[in-house]
Amino acid sequence: MHEFAVSSALKYGHKGTDTLEYIGLTLKNGCFERSKLYHFAKNDFEVHEGWRKEIFERWLKRICENYEAKICDFSEAGTSDAPAYRMILQFRNFFSMETAEKLISEEFPDVPCEIRDRCIRCMRALKEGLGLKESPLMQVGIELDSDMNFKSFKYYLCVEWTELPNDKLAEAMNGSADALGVCRDTERLDRLIRDICTCWYRPTFIGINDGTEETEAKLYFISEIFGRALKTKPAEQTERISEVLNLDKGLAEELMTAWEQAHLYSQGIAVTFGEPSVLRLYLRELQEAYFR
């Protein structure tokens, strides 16, 4: 794993094209399963060519024109025989529920109606559960198959602006889980939130991948390490999170090697609703300026 991560950092990171956002690692039962690269658009050329241009023109351009949105990232996953293409928009501000519901209902006519309806029910339930004044919608995107046909609708809902303490989050998210038809598993999620937060992470948003075959929801955490602490603290954080998540010893060692060789650390973590065996790590590359 670390060889792929380090080579990807060299090719797409600060010493390469400088378009690397994250290296995503999917884990199952604490063991490495697969990886995915996330890129951000460094310039217009990065977006307006090939499959990226087709997705943007057909699905997302009108949203950027009608709402304050910009491309957040794009990625290619799957295999060479069956790739999947994904592009996500980031909104500048949060919307009222009326505006958010209008956006979902009207700007994605090619997304199946039942998926759009689930999204709206989920937003409403999360807004109520967290006691928010506005819609929690912060990002939205699309995933297409190799023939550029719809594969899944992706949206991201903020949880960090609530006044609820972390130990109340799992229960507060039950309504959104019910709206999506995914397992709530409150006790497990509550335990994971508490454990992961002891490793200098905080919960930030829920990411939903809603397709024609399955619906997946994940709670994302972001590292709270910043400033001068980034020179040394990520190594300790990696060791602690490996222990908390019960990662395979070999994987934990490879994560440390990726940190030592390329300054890659797990800036983000995602836990899957109703899937205790599945976790995701998002490795971020630090610039060499941090280490001078």
Side-chain angles (χ1 to χ4, degrees):
M1 181 280 295
H2 80 272
E3 293 179 355
F4 168 80
V6 171
S7 63
S8 296
L10 287 172
K11 186 175 182 180
Y12 302 111
H14 305 304
K15 294 181 179 179
T17 61
D18 200 21
T19 60
L20 180 65
E21 184 185 27
Y22 289 111
I23 300 171
L25 307 178
T26 299
L27 316 179
K28 192 166 186 178
N29 293 319
C31 298
F32 171 73
E33 190 172 61
R34 61 182 180 273
S35 60
K36 180 163 66 172
L37 296 178
Y38 295 82
H39 297 273
F40 63 85
K42 187 176 181 181
N43 51 51
D44 286 344
F45 177 76
E46 291 288 335
V47 174
H48 299 293
E49 65 169 354
W51 62 266
R52 295 181 287 277
K53 179 179 180 180
E54 186 168 349
I55 291 181
F56 181 75
E57 293 286 338
R58 177 184 168 189
W59 292 87
L60 303 176
K61 181 179 180 181
R62 61 181 177 271
I63 299 174
C64 289
E65 294 172 346
N66 296 337
Y67 300 85
E68 290 188 279
K70 64 178 182 178
I71 293 175
C72 174
D73 65 49
F74 53 82
S75 63
E76 181 177 349
T79 65
S80 57
D81 296 326
Y85 304 107
R86 164 188 173 278
M87 185 174 286
I88 306 294
L89 295 182
Q90 170 81 47
F91 297 111
R92 184 183 297 273
N93 300 302
F94 289 102
F95 304 120
S96 67
M97 275 302 302
E98 181 181 4
T99 301
E101 291 182 19
K102 180 181 178 182
L103 189 158
I104 299 300
S105 298
E106 298 181 1
E107 298 294 346
F108 292 95
D110 294 331
V111 172
C113 183
E114 63 269 21
I115 292 179
R116 284 180 282 149
D117 288 345
R118 271 199 298 269
C119 174
I120 291 172
R121 291 198 303 271
C122 181
M123 288 194 299
R124 289 174 178 171
L126 192 63
K127 177 179 180 294
E128 180 179 353
L130 297 179
L132 304 176
K133 295 181 179 179
E134 298 179 299
S135 158
L137 185 66
M138 53 187 287
Q139 295 177 355
V140 68
I142 207 77
E143 184 177 28
L144 307 180
D145 65 18
S146 58
D147 297 318
M148 293 291 116
N149 296 318
F150 174 79
K151 185 175 176 67
S152 68
F153 186 48
K154 306 177 81 70
Y155 50 100
Y156 300 82
L157 308 177
C158 181
V159 302
E160 68 176 329
W161 297 122
T162 180
E163 294 182 0
L164 291 177
N166 287 338
D167 60 3
K168 299 294 183 182
L169 277 184
E171 183 178 353
M173 292 186 291
N174 280 340
S176 57
D178 291 342
L180 293 169
V182 298
C183 180
R184 56 170 66 178
D185 199 1
T186 310
E187 184 178 347
R188 165 191 166 262
L189 192 56
D190 179 65
R191 183 176 63 254
L192 276 171
I193 291 172
R194 286 188 283 106
D195 288 347
I196 292 173
C197 286
T198 65
C199 303
W200 309 298
Y201 289 92
R202 70 176 187 274
T204 54
F205 57 86
I206 299 174
I208 295 94
N209 183 25
D210 201 346
T212 53
E213 297 181 357
E214 66 176 350
T215 301
E216 181 186 46
K218 302 184 289 290
L219 175 62
Y220 288 79
F221 299 76
I222 193 76
S223 173
E224 294 188 304
I225 297 175
F226 66 95
R228 293 182 179 180
L230 283 168
K231 290 186 177 183
T232 57
K233 203 73 170 180
E236 184 180 353
Q237 186 179 49
T238 297
E239 292 178 345
R240 289 185 62 168
I241 203 64
S242 295
E243 183 176 336
V244 163
L245 298 180
N246 196 28
L247 301 188
D248 176 78
K249 183 179 179 181
L251 174 60
E253 291 175 351
E254 290 202 76
L255 289 172
M256 287 299 298
T257 302
W259 164 253
E260 293 165 356
Q261 293 185 358
H263 299 149
L264 289 164
Y265 79 108
S266 299
Q267 188 184 56
I269 295 175
V271 299
T272 307
F273 284 55
E275 288 288 345
S277 65
V278 179
L279 298 164
R280 288 175 176 82
L281 303 181
Y282 297 88
L283 307 186
R284 189 71 176 264
E285 179 198 30
L286 290 179
Q287 297 187 36
E288 288 188 349
Y290 281 99
F291 303 91
R292 292 173 185 165

